[in-house]
Amino acid sequence: MYRLLLVLCFFFAHPIFAQSLTEIVEKHQPNILKGSVKTAAPIIADIQAVGTEAATEFLTNWQDKALWFIKETGQIVSVVTDDKKTYQLIDIETGTLVTELAKKDIKQIKPNSGLRKMLGSALVTGKLLSPQKEIRLAGVDALIRDPKASHLDPLRVALEAEADIELKGIMDRAERQLTIQFDDLEVARVAAIESFSNDLSVEARGTLNPLLSNKIMLADLVPEDANIKGPITPGSEALTYEDAFDLLVAAEKATPVPTNAEIASILEANIENDTIAGFALADMSDADTRIKAYLALADAGKALAFDPNATIADLVADHEFIAVYVETSKAVTDAASNALDQINAKVGFSRFIDLALDGVSLASIYFLAAIGLAITFGVMRVINMAHGEFIMMGAYTGFVVQQIIPNYTVSIILAVPLAFAVTFAAGVAMERLVIRHLYHRPLETLLATFGISIALQQIAKNIFGTQARPLTAPGWLDGSLVINEVIQISWIRIAIFVLSLLFLLLLLFILNKTRLGLETRAVTQNPRMAASMGINPDRINMLTFGLGSGIAGIAGVAIGLYAKVTSELGADYIVQSFMTVVVGGVGNIWGTLAGATMIGFLQKGIEWFNPSNTLAAQTYMIIFIIIFIQFRPRGIIALKGRAAGD
């Protein structure tokens, strides 16, 4: 019957002639004053048919008992007052001041609880049945934020009438949430709970968790029809000894243990002739004497007795405590418990998958940053401390391209080959001017490249400043790929993973299917033998160093899409790049991939145990790698041939 009246509120009226709010209120004035649920449906329908903010405000004021009528004229108005003596009467349609009257000249309209419930439902349903999708969506959002039992029927009416598929799904979810909280039928609530067993959202768990809220009671006080969760042991996390004792005191099954301050107060109140209960006042400095005096007062009925030798654990040991669900329906709590168990199991598995995807993402970044170093370090045995600065140069190249070409997609496409060209040329220049004079002198090479890295950082600061520069990703890389409420990964990281995979395939093709690759592998395995076969190791070293530097430039463009582009960008990756190469196996592409995978997963795993301290995670990772190298100094995949012994 109630739902029928609710539907009539919206379909009873037929706006053949447009009427103002004032005209409609005057028309229905007797029934508005009477306030009957039976006559309210056409009134509400006519008022909502006006479709103005004033009409909605009128219904809200009617529900809140904020409407009054003037006794002399019968005009219905809203009221504003400060002193409760003189009332300012406000026109219901225009919001302007009508007049000021004393309270004796006006009377408040007081709808009963049934009519207020009907008005509240009508206001909610008015939004849910609005012809504008934005208003309907706002109505659902407001309903979810502040759910009430009176919202359930209007929501079901709107759900049946909703044609938009997306909004219908949102309404359906909200309807199931309200069903769980407010429906009178146990079967309907259980069905709604079971429908959330595959929902991993925080909102789903937020809806189900309150159903399992419980309170702890003494077993003797638990009602026979209580929905019992189970026994609770004092001293556990759920019930401390102190809380258990407080329950005993509240049930008058134990007397509270007086504090030292309370004992002192009782003793002071019972001082007679420099004695307390027969004990000399001068002896009260002794703790045992104070207790004896207090117990003597307790025996005389002047204080509450307690056992000073008993601990709280002893006092609660002879009592049983039971956890009782606040929800009285066992079927509902069982369904909620089963649904939450399923959700938590799926959330745990999803978090594991999400952590694995984070590891893959980080591994792809490390692989992209380290692959150039793997080539130069593997072929030339050159410890290039400036490798990170080539990454930085690539990122800044992308930034400069975007300043010239505002289209982010086009600029990124052009920035990749341009970054390769710039850093390839810088790498060749560095090899020709510095590195080739320091072959087989690792300490001097390390110091020289370290100095070059500092110089390149300072040059970048002089040109671009110390402020971070944005390298903006195209719009189609915004957002994340959402698999479920737990598993999601940004499109930028997916793009970096794809780019890393493409580089892996490209390098495998170059090293295995081209003459440059054949000569590079020959120089890597045995430089002297390669030279005797007509290969120019000097030329191969130059091209290899340039190739490694060029790949670092491309890595800089990719990394700059999600990291801040500063002069220190490369320094953040140089340590991980060296660790990746050393752990994987020097001079081996597959080894670099294995090293990046190991380090990426290891770092994410350590961060999972200590998510608030990434610096500690990196420290633990370095310690682990040092230990790993002690047992496998040649890395995961070691070189084969004579070069393996170098």
Side-chain angles (χ1 to χ4, degrees):
M1 179 64 182
Y2 178 73
R3 291 188 67 184
L4 178 60
L5 289 174
L6 186 63
V7 173
L8 288 175
C9 288
F10 301 96
F11 302 107
F12 186 93
H14 43 87
I16 298 176
F17 303 102
Q19 291 181 297
S20 68
L21 175 62
T22 302
E23 292 173 336
I24 292 173
V25 170
E26 289 177 353
K27 170 185 173 183
H28 294 290
Q29 191 257 13
N31 286 329
I32 292 175
L33 299 182
K34 183 179 179 182
S36 172
V37 172
K38 295 181 180 180
T39 58
I43 301 174
I44 297 173
D46 284 352
I47 292 174
Q48 287 199 318
V50 176
T52 62
E53 292 184 7
T56 302
E57 186 176 358
F58 179 88
L59 294 176
T60 303
N61 289 336
W62 191 7
Q63 180 191 23
D64 296 339
K65 301 181 182 180
L67 292 180
W68 299 64
F69 71 94
I70 302 173
K71 293 180 180 180
E72 182 178 351
T73 63
Q75 181 183 359
I76 296 176
V77 294
S78 59
V79 167
V80 176
T81 181
D82 292 327
D83 55 11
K84 298 295 183 181
K85 294 180 180 179
T86 301
Y87 288 75
Q88 297 178 351
L89 310 185
I90 307 300
D91 186 88
I92 57 174
E93 187 150 32
T94 63
T96 58
L97 179 65
V98 176
T99 185
E100 293 184 0
L101 293 175
K103 185 177 180 181
K104 64 182 180 63
D105 298 321
I106 57 177
K107 186 173 182 180
Q108 186 179 18
I109 300 174
K110 298 180 179 180
N112 58 34
S113 59
L115 180 54
R116 291 200 304 274
K117 180 180 179 181
M118 188 174 181
L119 286 166
S121 300
L123 287 166
V124 172
T125 313
K127 290 185 177 180
L128 297 179
L129 292 176
S130 170
Q132 299 181 34
K133 179 180 177 180
E134 293 76 11
I135 296 178
R136 300 200 303 275
L137 182 59
V140 177
D141 290 340
L143 181 148
I144 293 174
R145 286 195 302 270
D146 185 22
K148 296 178 182 177
S150 60
H151 295 164
L152 185 55
D153 282 331
L155 180 58
R156 286 172 174 168
V157 171
L159 180 60
E160 294 175 2
E162 184 57 54
D164 186 277
I165 296 177
E166 178 185 3
L167 189 52
K168 193 176 185 71
I170 297 174
M171 285 185 175
D172 177 71
R173 180 192 182 91
E175 189 274 334
R176 287 182 285 128
Q177 288 179 295
L178 266 66
T179 296
I180 291 172
Q181 297 179 66
F182 303 117
D183 201 292
D184 296 329
L185 296 177
E186 184 180 84
V187 175
R189 297 180 69 194
V190 170
I193 291 170
E194 291 174 347
S195 71
F196 279 106
S197 59
N198 292 318
D199 192 330
L200 307 187
S201 66
V202 175
E203 292 78 8
R205 281 170 277 172
T207 301
L208 298 178
N209 277 319
L211 299 176
L212 299 181
S213 61
N214 59 83
K215 57 183 178 180
I216 299 174
M217 303 176 62
L218 278 165
D220 299 341
L221 303 180
V222 175
E224 293 183 0
D225 60 345
N227 184 10
I228 296 175
K229 178 181 180 181
I232 298 294
T233 303
S236 63
E237 184 178 351
L239 180 64
T240 64
Y241 287 118
E242 290 76 12
D243 291 339
F245 185 73
D246 290 341
L247 290 175
L248 291 176
V249 172
E252 298 182 351
K253 293 183 178 295
T255 56
V257 178
T259 64
N260 291 333
E262 291 171 339
I263 292 175
S265 177
I266 294 293
L267 294 176
E268 290 176 4
N270 288 274
I271 297 175
E272 296 180 0
N273 300 325
D274 294 333
T275 63
I276 302 176
F279 294 88
L281 188 61
D283 297 332
M284 288 299 112
S285 59
D286 180 65
D288 292 337
T289 303
R290 290 198 301 272
I291 294 298
K292 291 177 181 178
Y294 180 88
L295 294 177
L297 292 174
D299 292 338
K302 296 180 180 180
L304 294 176
F306 77 100
D307 184 357
N309 298 317
T311 64
I312 293 181
D314 296 331
L315 296 174
V316 302
D318 296 332
H319 298 273
E320 294 182 1
F321 298 86
I322 303 292
V324 179
Y325 286 116
V326 176
E327 170 59 51
T328 58
S329 171
K330 188 176 187 303
V332 169
T333 53
D334 287 346
S337 179
N338 292 334
L340 281 171
D341 287 343
Q342 295 181 49
I343 291 173
N344 290 332
K346 293 170 183 175
V347 166
F349 179 74
S350 295
R351 284 175 178 168
F352 173 78
I353 298 298
D354 188 58
L355 183 65
L357 290 175
D358 283 344
V360 171
S361 174
L362 187 60
S364 65
I365 294 170
Y366 286 164
F367 176 78
L368 200 58
I371 188 62
L373 186 64
I375 296 173
T376 57
F377 192 28
V379 174
M380 306 171 63
R381 301 296 191 271
V382 172
I383 302 176
N384 180 18
M385 295 301 295
H387 180 78
E389 278 55 55
F390 289 118
I391 295 175
M392 176 263 293
M393 290 169 63
Y396 272 123
T397 300
F399 167 73
V400 171
V401 172
Q402 285 196 339
Q403 305 312 301
I404 300 172
I405 303 175
N407 187 299
Y408 295 141
T409 300
V410 176
S411 62
I412 291 298
I413 293 174
L414 293 177
V416 170
L418 189 58
F420 178 85
V422 170
T423 51
F424 178 88
V428 169
M430 180 176 168
E431 195 278 336
R432 290 289 87 188
L433 296 174
V434 180
I435 301 298
R436 75 188 185 98
H437 301 293
L438 300 174
Y439 287 142
H440 309 298
R441 295 156 66 183
L443 180 59
E444 288 86 343
T445 306
L446 186 149
L447 293 175
T449 54
F450 182 70
I452 292 173
S453 72
I454 295 175
L456 290 175
Q457 287 186 31
Q458 188 59 49
I459 291 172
K461 288 179 182 178
N462 292 339
I463 297 175
F464 299 101
T466 57
Q467 186 178 3
R469 301 295 182 177
L471 183 56
T472 308
W476 48 273
L477 286 180
D478 290 342
S480 302
L481 173 63
V482 178
I483 299 175
N484 57 36
E485 296 289 338
V486 179
I487 305 174
Q488 49 187 304
I489 184 169
S490 67
W491 286 110
I492 292 178
R493 295 207 169 206
I494 294 175
I496 292 175
F497 172 77
V498 172
L499 186 62
S500 301
L501 187 61
L502 291 176
F503 263 102
L504 173 63
L505 297 176
L506 178 62
L507 288 173
L508 289 175
F509 174 79
I510 292 174
L511 293 176
N512 295 315
K513 300 297 183 181
T514 66
R515 181 176 179 83
L516 175 62
L518 177 63
E519 293 178 349
T520 299
R521 286 187 290 126
V523 172
T524 300
Q525 294 181 12
N526 196 321
R528 292 189 183 93
M529 184 62 73
S532 67
M533 297 297 293
I535 299 174
N536 185 349
D538 192 53
R539 173 179 169 273
I540 294 300
N541 287 338
M542 180 189 69
L543 293 177
T544 302
F545 200 91
L547 178 63
S549 302
I551 293 174
I554 295 177
V557 175
I559 293 172
L561 291 176
Y562 76 92
K564 293 181 179 179
V565 181
T566 65
S567 58
E568 288 84 16
L569 174 65
D572 296 335
Y573 290 93
I574 186 64
V575 175
Q576 286 87 346
S577 298
F578 270 109
M579 288 193 301
T580 299
V581 173
V582 173
V583 169
V586 176
N588 192 302
I589 301 300
W590 291 109
T592 304
L593 178 62
T597 303
M598 175 180 171
I599 293 175
F601 276 86
L602 181 62
Q603 181 169 334
K604 283 298 176 182
I606 296 174
E607 287 179 2
W608 183 78
F609 286 103
N610 190 12
S612 62
N613 194 338
T614 56
L615 181 60
Q618 293 182 0
T619 303
Y620 296 143
M621 180 182 65
I622 292 173
I623 294 173
F624 178 86
I625 289 172
I626 292 173
I627 297 173
F628 174 83
I629 292 175
Q630 296 301 312
F631 291 95
R632 198 172 180 86
R634 295 181 182 176
I636 299 173
I637 303 177
L639 279 175
K640 296 180 180 180
R642 297 182 183 180
D646 293 344

